[in-house]
Amino acid sequence: MKHYLLLFFFVLLSCKKENPELNTASDNKMINLRYEVLNDLLLNKDSQFAGPETCCIYQISPEEAFFHTENEEPDWPMGINTVYSPDFPAEDSVFFKNENKDLINFKLNKDKIGRSLFFVSQEELDQIKKPDADFWTEFSKKYPNKCIRRFSVPFFNKDRSKCIVRLSVSCGPLDGSGYMAVYQKINGRWKEVRILNEWIS
């Protein structure tokens, strides 16, 4: 009987040891995939900017994704807001919730970006804000003649064949634009395949 008990506990311990390794491998794969998309966008999408290394400071941060049906009236919280679609179906809502939880832990590793750009965190931008001063006035003092170029961390569908990214550029209180789009890997590169919404100020 003792031998059976020992064997049972050995199997339990073996299972516990394997799970973290599987999770780590999966997490690393997802992390690498996110940086793959970001590098493709920073290399190809930002070719439209004259001297992106000098015109902008870059911010890359996660944004929570909210999905709804076409008949629902969303309350439009901050983040990625869009309707369910064949690529992001309602039946995968549990996966999307887990994806949101995973994104909370994302911290930009600048060494994984294959381009020499200047990055700031949201925390650094928040420190510029002052109760008695305009944000853009203070921003221009700290970063003269610069715009803020923002990318959200790619949010993937269940099979990781497509992702959603929000992109924007802001150069002042009434000088900004952006949009949200779906990207798909085509011929080895992540390409924009559908624009979900656009805005301008």
Side-chain angles (χ1 to χ4, degrees), residues 38-119:
L38 289 169
N39 276 300
D40 271 0
L41 267 60
L42 288 166
L43 179 64
N44 300 315
K45 193 69 182 173
D46 270 30
S47 60
Q48 61 181 296
F49 289 97
E53 291 83 359
T54 56
C55 79
C56 303
I57 63 170
Y58 284 75
Q59 188 214 358
I60 296 175
S61 59
E63 293 194 17
E64 191 170 359
F66 302 91
F67 294 90
H68 57 88
T69 65
E70 291 184 355
N71 297 326
E72 287 180 317
E73 289 291 336
D75 55 5
W76 300 113
M78 292 296 292
I80 293 172
N81 296 275
T82 187
V83 296
Y84 288 111
S85 67
D87 294 321
F88 293 85
E91 54 263 34
D92 292 343
S93 59
V94 173
F95 173 84
F96 300 147
K97 288 179 181 177
N98 290 331
E99 175 89 343
N100 278 326
K101 290 178 183 177
D102 185 52
L103 278 173
I104 292 173
N105 301 316
F106 180 89
K107 300 294 182 185
L108 179 66
N109 183 348
K110 299 173 187 177
D111 293 335
K112 287 182 174 288
I113 301 296
R115 192 170 188 175
S116 180
L117 300 169
F118 185 79
F119 292 95

